[in-house]
Amino acid sequence: MIEPDHSYAVEARGISKYFGGVAALDGVDFKVHWGEVHALLGENGAGKTTLSNILAGIYRADSGEIAVDGLTHEVRTPAQAIEAGIGMVHQHFKLVETMTVAENVHLGWPDTPTLVSQRVLVDRTNHLMEEIGLHVDPTAKVWQLSVGEQQRVEILRVLARGAQILILDEPTAVLTSHEARDLFKVMRDLVSGGRTVIFISHKLNEVLEVSDQITVLRDGVHEVTRSAEGATPRELARLMTGEERTLEVEHREITGETVLQLEGVTASNDRGVVALSSVDLVARSGEILGIAGVSGNGQTELAEVISAMRRVDGGTITVDGEDVANGLVRKVTDLGVGHIPEDRIGVGIVGSASVKDNAVLRHYWTEGLSSGVTLFRQAVVDFATRLVEVARVQTRSITATAGQMSGGNQQRLVARREALLATRVLIAVHPTRGLDVLAAQEVQTAVIGQRDRGAAVLFISDDLDEVLLMSDRIAVMYEGRIMGIFDRVDADREAIGLMMGGHTLEEAMAK
Ligand SMILES: Nc1ncnc2c1ncn2[C@@H]1O[C@H](COP(=O)(O)OP(=O)(O)O)[C@@H](O)[C@H]1O
Ligand SMILES: [Mg+2]
């Protein structure tokens, strides 16, 4: 018998995973030693979560093998993964809100006797917290806890099951910077006790701060595994983002007047946490102002405050000099503001309604389609038919339900519909996310067309290549702030990449 090699905590070889024929992971090798914090770094969509889900037994790889502590393990279910010592804390927590911390920590734990008192559960939880150095009130109900505390409960829950290899998927995304520091300390303590932590992030600063080793994934491919020591943000940014492009976009000098202006805009996200801090922005007629940044840094909220879908806590927003902050969606629409939202199913498209109704969804007030409360049926049919044609939406019929169309067709429909409304301002939020190359180019073309007709376009994307391709000017957003604004000619992709990771303009230029 061959002796197992215990030097690696995890050794994944040649892992591939396909979704609908598209490779999310393409022959990825991933080796992690015992006793290290190993960062899995990559842009959105690079495959980090997919790889983690495979290690945690949630997805099955289409090919490749996984050895845990030198033994080739079957990790086909979360139970098998935990048996092999692998536990994962997901981006979206899986706690039972109405139960206490102690109950959640013990939930589904096979060692838990079936009938135990709260007292026993609380004692055991306290014991575990002492051992691990993570503290939360064990008697509190989960719904009473902050997000940071809930995350601690998740970590405790996984460690309570004996996980020796802890996978944290973008754990800092929901934390304040102070809470993140605390988490990093816990991570360092865990590895100094011999465990292994796989830390998923797209924030360069954090990765360099807390990790021993760094593996970079890009588009499902393993780019590099290297020591964090001596690694530079510039090098990592380059490995993360790569370079490629397809569409040619013409960029002319911008001479148009100011259309959209934000001054000192502050707003909160759905959890009441500050999402925009004192944002100043100007967008002029005939330009695409790109907003570069990793998702979740305030871009969604920025789009929403402009289209009056979210209240501002302070500051002013004007469209052609008219104040629109905290106004009515109808008024903003009348001023010529269109919005291609991030969440096309939740916001852009009503899946259960027909293609026709979706086509006119935001055009009810358009002249010729209605008079007062009466819709002109034939005019609506004509309008929808034209929109479907122009947008090249593939559907059996305009009376078919919109939810049955592919994501690409839904997005084409929303993009054209909103572009028609957007005579003055078009806000496009991750408009090509999840689309294949052709559908993405059609949406990009619709956006460029609207710019060329004189709209001021706010183009929000977490794909830096796409922002560089599309934009006449580029603003970088991080944690709700504008870190800097570049004219296209001065835009340095590596500097922007660094600023997306939280570096200031000065730091980024010095590196
Ligand atoms: N359940 C799924 N169904 C279809 N596609 C998926 C699924 N999960 C992930 N993908 C796709 O796989 C790729 C990698 O996604 P993911 O692993 O979530 O990336 P990351 O965590 O690095 O942001 C993306 O293109 C994503 O759209
Ligand atoms: Mg992910």
Side-chain angles (χ1 to χ4, degrees):
M1 195 185 129
I2 304 161
E3 273 297 297
D5 172 6
H6 296 290
S7 56
Y8 288 113
V10 178
E11 192 178 359
R13 288 177 292 256
I15 303 288
S16 294
K17 176 76 188 172
Y18 297 87
F19 291 110
V22 180
L25 295 172
D26 185 4
V28 168
D29 292 327
F30 183 52
K31 296 178 187 179
V32 182
H33 287 101
W34 282 115
E36 70 184 16
V37 174
H38 195 122
L40 195 50
L41 178 71
E43 292 203 310
N44 267 308
K48 306 180 296 294
T49 298
T50 302
L51 180 58
S52 309
N53 280 333
I54 288 169
L55 296 176
I58 292 160
Y59 289 164
R60 287 216 21 215
D62 292 317
S63 61
E65 53 182 3
I66 299 167
V68 181
D69 198 27
L71 298 164
T72 303
H73 274 261
E74 294 273 355
V75 272
R76 295 177 178 213
T77 63
Q80 282 177 344
I82 205 76
E83 208 170 297
I86 300 179
M88 177 165 173
V89 173
H90 298 266
Q91 274 169 296
H92 305 287
F93 304 152
K94 307 192 164 176
L95 300 171
V96 183
E97 301 229 316
T98 51
M99 289 191 182
T100 65
V101 168
E103 285 166 339
N104 270 281
V105 167
H106 288 85
L107 203 65
W109 189 11
D111 295 352
T112 312
T114 37
L115 290 168
V116 287
S117 66
Q118 254 316 301
R119 184 73 250 146
V120 173
L121 291 184
V122 167
D123 282 349
R124 292 173 81 152
T125 306
N126 274 326
H127 203 78
L128 187 69
M129 290 196 290
E130 208 51 55
E131 192 186 330
I132 292 160
L134 265 177
H135 297 276
V136 199
D137 175 5
T139 63
K141 294 271 197 326
V142 163
W143 63 265
Q144 297 172 308
L145 303 179
S146 72
V147 178
E149 288 170 323
Q150 291 185 19
Q151 184 179 66
R152 273 180 246 163
V153 179
E154 284 277 8
I155 295 173
L156 283 165
R157 210 159 87 92
V158 171
L159 294 175
R161 283 166 181 65
Q164 295 300 309
I165 300 159
L166 181 66
I167 306 174
L168 302 173
D169 192 0
E170 309 251 4
T172 60
V174 296
L175 301 180
T176 64
S177 49
H178 185 79
E179 287 173 327
R181 287 286 110 63
D182 288 347
L183 175 66
F184 292 167
K185 189 174 171 305
V186 170
M187 285 161 58
R188 294 305 325 171
D189 286 349
L190 286 170
V191 299
S192 59
R195 287 187 175 89
T196 288
V197 174
I198 297 172
F199 169 54
I200 299 179
S201 177
H202 46 231
K203 298 186 183 172
L204 298 171
N205 290 354
E206 292 183 344
V207 162
L208 287 167
E209 179 178 338
V210 74
S211 315
D212 300 299
Q213 291 285 319
I214 301 171
T215 290
V216 179
L217 285 185
R218 167 158 39 110
D219 290 340
V221 176
H222 174 269
E223 285 292 321
V224 77
T225 295
R226 60 154 299 158
S227 157
E229 208 177 298
T232 64
R234 175 176 273 266
E235 170 204 347
L236 295 176
R238 195 190 304 123
L239 287 164
M240 269 171 77
T241 57
E243 254 167 317
E244 60 201 50
R245 66 175 45 185
T246 40
L247 192 79
E248 290 288 321
V249 183
E250 203 186 324
H251 296 280
R252 293 177 230 107
E253 201 189 336
I254 303 144
T255 52
E257 70 284 3
T258 292
V259 178
L260 173 71
Q261 182 153 23
L262 281 77
E263 278 178 320
V265 171
T266 300
S268 314
N269 65 16
D270 293 336
R271 301 199 320 274
V273 176
V274 174
L276 297 174
S277 340
S278 201
V279 169
D280 295 326
L281 273 183
V282 165
R284 287 167 293 176
S285 170
E287 79 166 338
I288 295 179
L289 174 62
I291 308 286
V294 171
S295 287
N297 277 283
Q299 298 95 319
T300 308
E301 290 82 3
L302 177 67
E304 288 173 351
V305 293
I306 298 168
S307 33
M309 292 163 65
R310 177 176 298 276
R311 296 189 64 78
V312 303
D313 300 327
T316 59
I317 305 173
T318 57
V319 172
D320 287 324
E322 289 255 0
D323 191 2
V324 297
N326 296 340
L328 298 172
V329 173
R330 165 84 194 264
K331 176 181 171 190
V332 181
T333 309
D334 284 349
L335 284 170
V337 178
H339 181 183
I340 305 174
E342 174 175 13
D343 177 8
R344 56 181 167 254
I345 297 297
V347 183
I349 286 269
V350 180
S352 57
S354 68
V355 173
K356 169 175 64 100
D357 289 344
N358 274 285
V360 298
L361 189 62
R362 303 235 299 135
H363 287 270
Y364 285 135
W365 306 299
T366 305
E367 219 173 312
L369 285 188
S370 70
S371 144
V373 293
T374 318
L375 272 176
F376 299 139
R377 210 163 289 159
Q378 192 53 47
V380 167
V381 169
D382 291 347
F383 179 88
T385 308
R386 240 184 0 260
L387 187 67
V388 161
E389 235 170 65
V390 173
R392 306 215 288 125
V393 171
Q394 282 151 17
T395 176
R396 281 185 286 111
S397 127
I398 59 167
T399 54
T401 5
Q404 289 172 342
M405 296 193 300
S406 70
N409 281 308
Q410 293 177 13
Q411 188 72 335
R412 283 191 188 105
L413 183 69
V414 176
R416 288 288 174 174
R417 182 188 75 200
E418 296 297 314
L420 279 178
L421 290 171
T423 49
R424 299 302 288 156
V425 178
L426 176 62
I427 309 161
V429 190
H430 307 298
T432 62
R433 186 186 271 173
L435 301 187
D436 61 34
V437 174
L438 187 66
Q441 287 193 5
E442 285 177 2
V443 168
Q444 289 165 338
T445 304
V447 170
I448 294 161
Q450 210 54 23
R451 172 198 72 175
D452 293 344
R453 281 186 283 279
V457 177
L458 212 58
F459 189 86
I460 299 175
S461 170
D462 50 16
D463 179 344
L464 182 50
D465 287 317
E466 188 183 27
V467 172
L468 287 167
L469 171 72
M470 295 287 291
S471 309
D472 299 298
R473 289 188 306 138
I474 297 164
V476 187
M477 251 187 124
Y478 179 75
E479 294 192 343
R481 294 186 308 274
I482 302 294
M483 305 295 281
I485 301 181
F486 297 86
D487 274 331
R488 166 175 192 81
V489 284
D490 307 325
D492 170 343
R493 85 178 333 273
E494 283 173 12
I496 293 174
L498 290 170
M499 289 163 73
M500 284 167 60
H503 285 273
T504 62
L505 179 62
E506 293 72 32
E507 285 167 357
M509 298 316 272
K511 288 230 159 62

